[in-house]
Amino acid sequence: MSTGAQFGYLIAAICFILALKGLSAPKTARYGNWAGAAGAVIAVAVTLSVGHLQHLGLILGAVAVGAVIGVPAATRVKMTAMPQLVAIFNGVGGGAAALVALIEFLTVASQSSKIAMGDQAATVFTVLVGSVSFAGSMVTFAKLQELMTTRPVVLPAGRWISGAVFVAAVGLAVAGLPVRSTGLLVTLLLVSLGLGVLFVLPVGGADVPIVISLLNAFTGLTVAASGYVLGNTLLIVAGTLVGASGTILTRLMAAAMGRPLTGILFGAFRASVAGPAAAAQNRPVRSGTPEDIAILLGYARKVIVVPGYGLAVAQGQHTIRELADLLTARGVKVAYGIHPVAGRMPGHMNVLLAEANVPYESLLEMDEANMELSSADVALVVGANDVVNPAARTSPGAPIYGMPILNVDSAAAVVFCKRSLRPGFAGIENELLYDPKTTLLFGDAKESLSKVVAAVKAL
Amino acid sequence: MSTGAQFGYLIAAICFILALKGLSAPKTARYGNWAGAAGAVIAVAVTLSVGHLQHLGLILGAVAVGAVIGVPAATRVKMTAMPQLVAIFNGVGGGAAALVALIEFLTVASQSSKIAMGDQAATVFTVLVGSVSFAGSMVTFAKLQELMTTRPVVLPAGRWISGAVFVAAVGLAVAGLPVRSTGLLVTLLLVSLGLGVLFVLPVGGADVPIVISLLNAFTGLTVAASGYVLGNTLLIVAGTLVGASGTILTRLMAAAMGRPLTGILFGAFRASVAGPAAAAQNRPVRSGTPEDIAILLGYARKVIVVPGYGLAVAQGQHTIRELADLLTARGVKVAYGIHPVAGRMPGHMNVLLAEANVPYESLLEMDEANMELSSADVALVVGANDVVNPAARTSPGAPIYGMPILNVDSAAAVVFCKRSLRPGFAGIENELLYDPKTTLLFGDAKESLSKVVAAVKAL
Amino acid sequence: MANQIGGMGLLTIFVLAVFVGFEVVSKVSSTLHTPLMSGANAIHGVVLVGAILITGVSSGPAQITLGLIAIVLGTVNMVGGFVVTDRMLRMFSARRGEERR
Amino acid sequence: MANQIGGMGLLTIFVLAVFVGFEVVSKVSSTLHTPLMSGANAIHGVVLVGAILITGVSSGPAQITLGLIAIVLGTVNMVGGFVVTDRMLRMFSARRGEERR
Ligand SMILES: NC(=O)c1ccc[n+]([C@@H]2O[C@H](COP(=O)([O-])OP(=O)(O)OC[C@H]3O[C@@H](n4cnc5c(N)ncnc54)[C@H](OP(=O)(O)O)[C@@H]3O)[C@@H](O)[C@H]2O)c1
Ligand SMILES: NC(=O)c1ccc[n+]([C@@H]2O[C@H](COP(=O)([O-])OP(=O)(O)OC[C@H]3O[C@@H](n4cnc5c(N)ncnc54)[C@H](OP(=O)(O)O)[C@@H]3O)[C@@H](O)[C@H]2O)c1
C-alpha cells in the first residue's frame, strides 16, 4: 500500500478519534458525527483509489446497494424504533467483519500452507465474536421490534445449554488455531451464531440497549481483529476505539441503572418477577377522569412531568408537549424530570422530547428535578413506573433497590397515566399507585393525554 | 530487536501512560509516579539484557555516575529550590537526546551515504530542539537560583537578535536536510544553544515555571524524534506523551495566571513595570508591631492565611503552621486560601504547606477561600501581593487585569507581612496596602511570624 | 496480506487506541449515551474498507459473493449509522442557542 | 538503525500517543501541576534507553565519549526526576486518610 494511501488512512483514524471526542459533549456532538462521516468518506475514497482492485464495478454496485438499504432505513425509522435500528446496523457490521476474515482465510488457504499463528488467532477471534455479535444483534432486534416476547426467555436448563455451546465454540476456536480447515471454521461460525442467540435470549426487553452497547463493543473488537488479519492499521485503530469506548459506555449505562452488568446479562430479575406483582392486584386505587386531571393540573402552580417507557411506546411526546404549552399559557410552571434510564435506551427521553420541540431549559436532570418535585403541586407520571418507584429507596429486597429515582412522592399530588396496574420492567409492585395522594388515569398515554388536553381547553 | 524486548518496551510504555494518568489525580499521584519509575526500570533492564551491547562496563559506570549525581540532588534539595532542579533535570534530558541524534548521525555517516529523508529530518529536529531545551533550561536554572537577575533581560534590539538567531537555526536545519555534513550539524547545535539562551532571557523570574513546563514539552518531543531516528517505539511513545501532556500542562498553567502564553514568552509585562510602582511610594500606610498583630489575630473568630511567593522565599512555612496551631488552640478558626499561582510554581504553596504538615482540610481552593474571606475577621497575607491585588478586578489597564484573585479586601481586617512597599512580580502598585483596614508588618516573613508567635504566646 | 508494520507495532497501536477510546468517552453525560453508541456503531462500519480490499483481490466465485455481501453489510452499517446518528443529534441541537451551559 | 515498523506505523503511534497525552492530563487540578510536570520530566528521561543502545554499538572514541555523557545526562534526568517527584508527593499523601474527596 502506498504511503499516500496510508496517510489518508491516518487522517481517517484521526477523524474517528475526533468523532468520539465530539460525540462526548453536547455542544460538539453533531460536529463529531460529521467528523466521523468525513473519516469514513476519506477511508473509502482512499481504498477505491489505491487501484489494483479487481471487480470494481461489482464493488461499487454493492456499495450502492448498501447505501440504498441503509439511508432510507435511517431516515424513515421512527424515533422510538431507534434502538432496534442501531442493533441491526451493529449486527451487520459484525457479520461483515466475520465474512472478511473468512474470505481472507479462504484466499490464504488456497495459496500457501504455512500458518502464521497471530493471523490464525485473529481470524478465529473475528469469526467467533463477529458471529456472536451478528446473531445477538438480530435477537435484540426481534425483541425490540416485538417480533418475539420482550421478557427474558429462559430455556429449560438454559444455563447448561448456553454453557455447553460456549464451551463448544471456544473449543472449536482453539482447535482451529493450529490446523487450516475450512470445515472447522464454518462450523465455528455456525456454533457462534447459536451462541449469540443464546447469549441474548435471557435478557429482558428493557435491558436490551445495554446488550446492544456491549455487542457494539464486540463488533469494534472484531473489526480490529479483522484489521490485524488484513494488516490494515485503520481497521485496527477504528475497531479498537469502538471496542474501548463501547466497553466504557456499556459500564456507564449499567451504572446509570444502578445494577451490575453481570446481573443484566445473566440474572435478569428472574427470582422476583412473579411473586408480589400477582399478589396485590385487588387493593383499592383512586382513578380519575380526564376532567378531574384537567382541573388538578389547570389550577396548579407547578407541575413536573415524568415521562417513561410508556410515553415512548404510545408515541405521546407531541401530546404531552401540547398539554404543557396549554398549562404554561394558563400560568402554570411546567418542567420535565428526566430519569437517565427512563424510556427504551439511555437518553431516549431527551431525544423524544427534543423531537417534540420541548425547550431544552425545561428538561431537568434527576437531582434538579428532585429539588423541584418537593415544591411541586402535581407530579404527572406518564408511562413511567420503575423510575418513580419508592421501593428503590425502601425495600432492600427489590431488584431496583439502590437505584436513584425521581421522588414524585414528595409532590403534593401524583397522577399516573398508564393502562393498568401492571408493573414496569422490573416486575415489582409500585406502592405509590395505592397511595392516597395518587390519582390514576387509565388508558394509552397518548389517548389519555389528548383527552386531558381537550378538558383543559374546556376549563 | 527481539519480540521479547519489544514486548518489554510496550509494558514500559503502558507504565508511562498509567503514570501520567495517576499523576493527574490527588489520590493516585504517588502510585502514578511509581508506575513511571517501574516503567523506567523495565525499559533499562530490557535494554541492558538484549545483549549485543559493547562497552557494557563503561555503560554501567556511566549509569552509576548519573545515579550518584541525580539521587542526592533530588533528595537533598530544599522544597523551595524544586523548580530549578526540575529545570536542570529537564535540560540534561534534552541534551542527552541531542547527543543521541548526533552520535547516530556520526555512526550512519561513517557507514553509508544514502540519506533517508525522514531520519535526517528527525536528526536535525532533535539537535535543534534538544539544544534549545538544554540551554534554555540552564538559563532558567540561573534565574531561579538567582545566579543572575530574575527580571526580564531585554538586550538592545533583543527582538531582532533573537529573530536573526531563530532564522539562522531554522536555515541551518533546512540546509542540513539534504546534505550530510557533520560541520553543519555541530554549527546547528551551537546556534541552537544560543537560541535557547535568547529564548529564556526576556522571561521574568516568576514566569519561569511556565517556561520550564514548555521546555519540558520540547524535551519530550525531542526524545520522540530521537526515538524515530533510532527506530525505537518506546522513546517515540514516551516522548510524545510528555510532549503532548506538557503542552496541555503549559496552557493550563498559563490559564491559571489569566494570561496568554505569548505574553509570558515575549511580552513579560515590559510596558507597565516602571510607571505606577515608582509614583505612589510616599503615601501614608499603617504599620503595626508584632504585638498589635498578635492581638488582632488572637481575639479573632476566623482568620484566613494567604501565603505567597515571599513565604516560600523566607522559608516561613513551619512558622506559619506554628502560628496557626497556636491560634487554633485559642479557639480561632484558621484556614489557608491557596491561589493557584501563588508561590514559585503552580501548586507550590500546597507543597510547601504540606511539608509543614498543615492539615489538608484547612487548605481552601480559590472559590472556597473567597466565600470564607467574606466572613473572616482577619486576612493574614504572608509574602503575597499580586494574588490579592484588587487591581485585577478594577484596573482594566493592569497586566494582571482579569486574573481571578483572593478577595482579601472582603475580610474585616487585612494584615500584610512583607519587607517593604515594593510591588510583586507583576510590578504594579497594590492599593490595598494603603487601605484603612490594612495593617503592615514589615520584615522578612519568617522573622516577623516568629515574633508574632512569641507575642501570641504572651497574650 | 502481509503485515507491513510488524506484530509488535500493531500491538502498540492497539494498546494506544484502547487508551484513547477509554479516555475520550469517560466523561460523557447520560443524555448523550444513545447518540454516542450510535456514532461509535457507525465508526466500526469502516470494516467496509476491509471488505472492499479483500473483494478486490479475490478470485473464486464463492469468495467474491461473500465479499460483495460483506460490502453491502458494511455499507449499511456505516452509511445508515452516520445518518441515523445525525438525525438524533439534529433534534438535540435544534435549540443550541438556548442551551444552558 | 532500521525502522522496523515503517514510517507510517511510527506516525500512527505518534498521533495516538498525542491523543493519549492530551486526554490523560486534561483534567488535572492546579494543585498537581508541579508534581505532574516533574513526573513527566522524569518520564522523558527514558532517553537513557536510546543513549545506552547507541553507545553499545558505537566504535569511535568520540562517539563513545559522547554516548557516555548522554548516558550520564539521561540517568540524572530519569533517576533524579522520579526521586524528586516522589519527595513532593510524599508530602501530599502524608495525610491521605483525612482527605476530603
Ligand atoms: N432507558 C434505558 O436505557 C433502560 C435500559 C435498560 C433498562 N431500563 C429499565 O427500564 C425501566 C424504565 O423505567 P420506566 O419507568 O421508564 O418504565 P417501566 O418501569 O418499564 O414502566 C413503563 C410503564 O409504562 C406503562 N405503559 C406501557 N405502555 C403504555 C402506553 N401505551 N400508554 C401508557 N402507559 C404505558 C406500563 O404500564 P401499563 O402496562 O399498566 O400501561 C409500565 O408500567 C427501568 O426499570 C430501567 O432500569 C431502561
Ligand atoms: N505560582 C506560579 O506558578 C507562578 C508562575 C509564574 C508567575 N507567577 C506570578 O507570580 C505572582 C505570584 O503572586 P504572589 O502574590 O505569590 O507573589 P508576588 O505578587 O510576586 O508578591 C510577593 C511578595 O512577597 C514579598 N516578599 C518577598 N520576599 C519576602 C520575604 N523574605 N519576606 C516577606 N515578604 C517577602 C514581596 O514584597 P517585599 O519585596 O516588599 O517583601 C512581594 O510583594 C503572580 O503575579 C503570578 O502570576 C506565579
Side-chain angles (χ1 to χ4, degrees):
Chain A
M1 184 148 299
S2 74
T3 308
Q6 288 194 315
F7 194 73
Y9 281 166
L10 181 56
I11 301 291
I14 293 175
C15 286
F16 292 151
I17 297 175
L18 295 177
L20 288 180
K21 218 171 136 59
L23 281 165
S24 305
K27 288 205 178 172
T28 54
R30 219 171 158 202
Y31 303 116
N33 189 50
W34 291 342
V41 169
I42 293 171
V44 173
V46 166
T47 307
L48 291 175
S49 65
V50 288
H52 321 313
L53 290 180
Q54 295 160 18
H55 325 302
L56 203 57
L58 287 175
I59 290 175
L60 291 176
V63 170
V65 171
V68 165
I69 299 173
V71 174
T75 46
R76 299 225 187 107
V77 69
K78 286 194 202 132
M79 272 296 150
T80 40
M82 225 61 129
Q84 44 271 53
L85 195 71
V86 174
I88 288 270
F89 288 165
N90 176 58
V92 296
L99 286 181
V100 167
L102 186 63
I103 303 166
E104 169 79 10
F105 176 85
L106 295 175
T107 309
V108 175
S110 66
Q111 284 168 358
S112 93
S113 63
K114 210 178 133 282
I115 300 179
M117 201 57 174
D119 286 4
Q120 188 75 1
T123 303
V124 167
F125 177 87
T126 310
V127 170
L128 198 169
V129 182
S131 306
V132 167
S133 187
F134 178 79
S137 298
M138 293 308 139
V139 177
T140 59
F141 171 78
K143 287 200 178 219
L144 290 173
Q145 195 68 14
E146 305 195 1
L147 302 179
M148 60 176 287
T149 171
T150 59
R151 305 250 87 193
V153 175
V154 186
L155 301 178
R159 279 167 188 267
W160 298 107
I161 298 177
S162 301
V165 173
F166 178 74
V167 170
V170 172
L172 281 168
V174 172
L177 279 183
V179 296
R180 173 163 292 150
S181 150
T182 309
L184 203 62
L185 205 63
V186 172
T187 314
L188 173 63
L189 192 150
L190 296 176
V191 172
S192 304
L193 288 175
L195 182 61
V197 173
L198 291 172
F199 178 66
V200 178
L201 275 184
V203 176
D207 272 339
V208 163
I210 310 268
V211 175
I212 297 178
S213 177
L214 187 67
L215 293 176
N216 186 31
F218 279 10
T219 305
L221 292 179
T222 315
V223 171
S226 75
Y228 184 84
V229 173
L230 297 177
N232 185 305
T233 322
L234 175 61
L235 295 198
I236 298 182
V237 173
T240 309
L241 283 175
V242 176
S245 60
T247 307
I248 294 285
L249 186 56
T250 306
R251 294 194 49 202
L252 291 176
M253 285 186 178
M257 300 174 56
R259 287 192 296 140
L261 198 52
T262 48
I264 292 173
L265 296 180
F266 308 117
F269 293 156
R270 248 170 292 167
S272 48
V273 173
Q281 296 284 8
N282 35 22
R283 278 195 283 157
V285 296
R286 180 171 58 174
S287 82
T289 65
E291 288 70 27
D292 298 338
I293 309 298
I295 291 170
L296 200 58
L297 296 173
Y299 295 102
R301 269 160 308 144
K302 193 199 280 187
V303 173
I304 306 291
V305 178
V306 177
Y309 184 83
L311 183 76
V313 174
Q315 291 264 57
Q317 65 268 34
H318 295 282
T319 321
I320 190 75
R321 162 92 218 259
E322 201 186 336
L323 178 59
D325 284 351
L326 268 181
L327 292 176
T328 309
R330 289 179 61 88
V332 184
K333 200 168 159 241
V334 184
Y336 300 78
I338 310 290
H339 192 282
V341 298
R344 277 190 170 231
M345 346 172 61
H348 199 187
M349 281 301 130
N350 299 68
V351 175
L352 265 192
L353 295 176
E355 191 199 3
N357 284 323
V358 170
Y360 195 94
E361 302 80 52
S362 55
L363 303 184
L364 308 180
E365 288 197 11
M366 191 149 50
D367 295 340
E368 235 176 324
N370 276 334
M371 281 186 326
E372 293 291 329
L373 275 167
S374 54
S375 63
D377 302 304
V378 187
L380 175 61
V381 182
V382 187
N385 192 355
D386 295 347
V387 298
V388 300
N389 192 338
R393 292 195 313 260
T394 55
S395 325
I400 60 168
Y401 183 69
M403 176 171 92
I405 60 160
L406 287 164
N407 303 321
V408 292
D409 49 352
S410 67
V414 183
V415 175
F416 272 91
C417 284
K418 63 202 299 286
R419 296 165 308 175
S420 66
L421 286 175
R422 278 197 301 274
F425 158 69
I428 50 163
E429 198 58 33
N430 186 346
E431 282 302 321
L432 200 55
L433 297 175
Y434 308 98
D435 194 280
K437 71 177 168 192
T438 297
T439 313
L440 279 141
L441 178 61
F442 286 113
D444 175 80
K446 189 175 182 179
E447 287 169 22
S448 302
L449 289 172
S450 308
K451 290 184 198 148
V452 176
V453 165
V456 171
K457 279 187 186 152
L459 274 184
Chain B
M1 185 148 296
S2 73
T3 308
Q6 289 195 314
F7 193 73
Y9 281 166
L10 181 56
I11 302 290
I14 294 176
C15 286
F16 292 150
I17 297 176
L18 295 176
L20 288 180
K21 219 171 134 62
L23 281 166
S24 304
K27 287 205 180 171
T28 55
R30 215 169 162 204
Y31 304 117
N33 190 49
W34 291 342
V41 169
I42 292 171
V44 172
V46 166
T47 307
L48 290 175
S49 66
V50 289
H52 321 313
L53 290 181
Q54 293 159 19
H55 324 303
L56 203 57
L58 286 175
I59 290 175
L60 290 176
V63 170
V65 171
V68 165
I69 298 173
V71 173
T75 45
R76 299 226 187 106
V77 68
K78 286 195 202 131
M79 272 295 150
T80 40
M82 224 61 128
Q84 43 274 51
L85 195 71
V86 174
I88 288 269
F89 287 165
N90 177 58
V92 296
L99 286 181
V100 167
L102 186 64
I103 303 166
E104 169 79 10
F105 176 86
L106 296 175
T107 310
V108 175
S110 66
Q111 284 167 358
S112 94
S113 63
K114 212 179 132 279
I115 301 180
M117 199 60 174
D119 287 3
Q120 188 75 2
T123 303
V124 167
F125 177 88
T126 309
V127 170
L128 198 168
V129 181
S131 305
V132 167
S133 187
F134 178 78
S137 298
M138 293 308 139
V139 176
T140 58
F141 172 78
K143 287 200 177 219
L144 289 173
Q145 196 69 13
E146 304 198 359
L147 301 179
M148 59 175 288
T149 170
T150 59
R151 304 250 88 192
V153 175
V154 185
L155 300 180
R159 278 167 189 265
W160 298 108
I161 298 178
S162 303
V165 174
F166 178 74
V167 170
V170 172
L172 281 168
V174 173
L177 280 184
V179 296
R180 174 164 291 149
S181 150
T182 309
L184 204 62
L185 204 64
V186 172
T187 314
L188 174 63
L189 193 149
L190 295 177
V191 172
S192 304
L193 288 176
L195 183 61
V197 172
L198 291 171
F199 178 66
V200 178
L201 274 185
V203 175
D207 273 339
V208 162
I210 311 268
V211 175
I212 297 178
S213 176
L214 188 67
L215 292 176
N216 186 32
F218 279 10
T219 304
L221 292 179
T222 314
V223 171
S226 76
Y228 184 84
V229 173
L230 297 178
N232 185 306
T233 323
L234 175 61
L235 295 198
I236 298 184
V237 173
T240 308
L241 282 175
V242 176
S245 60
T247 307
I248 294 285
L249 186 57
T250 307
R251 295 194 49 200
L252 291 175
M253 284 185 180
M257 299 173 58
R259 286 192 299 140
L261 198 51
T262 48
I264 292 172
L265 295 180
F266 307 116
F269 293 157
R270 248 170 292 167
S272 49
V273 172
Q281 296 283 8
N282 36 22
R283 279 196 283 157
V285 296
R286 181 170 58 177
S287 80
T289 64
E291 288 71 25
D292 297 339
I293 308 297
I295 291 170
L296 201 58
L297 297 173
Y299 294 103
R301 269 160 307 144
K302 194 198 279 187
V303 173
I304 306 291
V305 177
V306 177
Y309 184 81
L311 182 77
V313 174
Q315 291 264 58
Q317 65 268 34
H318 294 281
T319 321
I320 189 74
R321 161 91 217 259
E322 200 185 337
L323 178 58
D325 284 351
L326 267 182
L327 292 175
T328 309
R330 289 178 61 89
V332 183
K333 203 172 157 238
V334 183
Y336 300 77
I338 310 291
H339 193 283
V341 298
R344 279 194 168 228
M345 347 173 60
H348 199 185
M349 281 301 131
N350 298 69
V351 176
L352 265 191
L353 295 176
E355 192 199 2
N357 282 323
V358 170
Y360 195 94
E361 302 81 54
S362 55
L363 303 184
L364 308 180
E365 289 197 9
M366 192 151 47
D367 296 340
E368 235 176 325
N370 276 334
M371 283 188 322
E372 293 291 330
L373 275 167
S374 54
S375 63
D377 301 305
V378 186
L380 176 61
V381 183
V382 187
N385 191 356
D386 296 348
V387 298
V388 300
N389 191 339
R393 293 194 313 260
T394 54
S395 326
I400 60 168
Y401 182 70
M403 175 171 94
I405 60 161
L406 287 164
N407 303 320
V408 290
D409 48 352
S410 65
V414 182
V415 174
F416 272 91
C417 285
K418 64 203 296 286
R419 296 165 309 176
S420 67
L421 287 175
R422 278 196 301 274
F425 158 68
I428 51 165
E429 197 58 33
N430 187 346
E431 282 301 321
L432 199 57
L433 295 176
Y434 308 97
D435 195 281
K437 69 178 169 192
T438 297
T439 313
L440 279 142
L441 179 61
F442 285 113
D444 174 79
K446 189 174 182 180
E447 286 169 21
S448 303
L449 288 173
S450 309
K451 289 185 198 146
V452 176
V453 165
V456 170
K457 281 189 185 150
L459 276 183
Chain C
M1 228 169 268
N3 293 337
Q4 294 163 312
I5 71 165
M8 203 45 71
L10 293 179
L11 192 58
T12 305
I13 289 176
F14 172 76
V15 167
L16 289 173
V18 166
F19 276 104
V20 175
F22 276 175
E23 291 297 322
V24 158
V25 305
S26 59
K27 356 158 200 188
V28 63
S29 101
S30 66
T31 315
L32 285 172
H33 282 177
T34 297
L36 179 60
M37 188 207 316
S38 177
N41 180 24
I43 288 174
H44 66 49
V46 75
V47 69
L48 169 61
V49 164
I52 293 177
L53 286 173
I54 193 82
T55 310
V57 297
S58 292
S59 43
Q63 284 151 45
I64 296 179
T65 313
L66 289 177
L68 293 176
I69 296 177
I71 293 178
V72 173
L73 297 182
T75 311
V76 169
N77 182 179
M78 174 185 276
V79 177
F82 285 117
V83 172
V84 83
T85 309
D86 191 58
R87 255 190 83 197
M88 290 184 204
L89 292 171
R90 206 160 45 208
M91 294 176 194
F92 278 102
S93 54
R95 284 165 306 290
R96 166 88 36 76
E98 308 159 33
E99 206 168 277
R100 283 173 303 172
R101 41 183 136 167
Chain D
M1 229 167 268
N3 293 337
Q4 295 164 311
I5 70 164
M8 203 45 70
L10 293 179
L11 193 58
T12 305
I13 289 176
F14 171 77
V15 168
L16 290 172
V18 166
F19 276 103
V20 175
F22 277 176
E23 292 296 323
V24 158
V25 304
S26 60
K27 351 149 207 194
V28 63
S29 102
S30 65
T31 315
L32 285 172
H33 283 176
T34 297
L36 178 59
M37 188 208 313
S38 177
N41 181 25
I43 288 174
H44 66 49
V46 75
V47 70
L48 170 61
V49 163
I52 293 177
L53 286 173
I54 193 80
T55 310
V57 298
S58 292
S59 41
Q63 285 151 45
I64 296 179
T65 312
L66 289 177
L68 293 177
I69 296 178
I71 292 177
V72 172
L73 297 183
T75 311
V76 169
N77 183 177
M78 175 183 275
V79 176
F82 285 117
V83 172
V84 83
T85 309
D86 191 57
R87 252 190 85 196
M88 292 185 204
L89 291 171
R90 207 159 45 208
M91 294 175 193
F92 278 101
S93 55
R95 284 165 307 290
R96 167 86 38 75
E98 307 159 33
E99 207 170 279
R100 282 173 303 172
R101 42 183 137 173

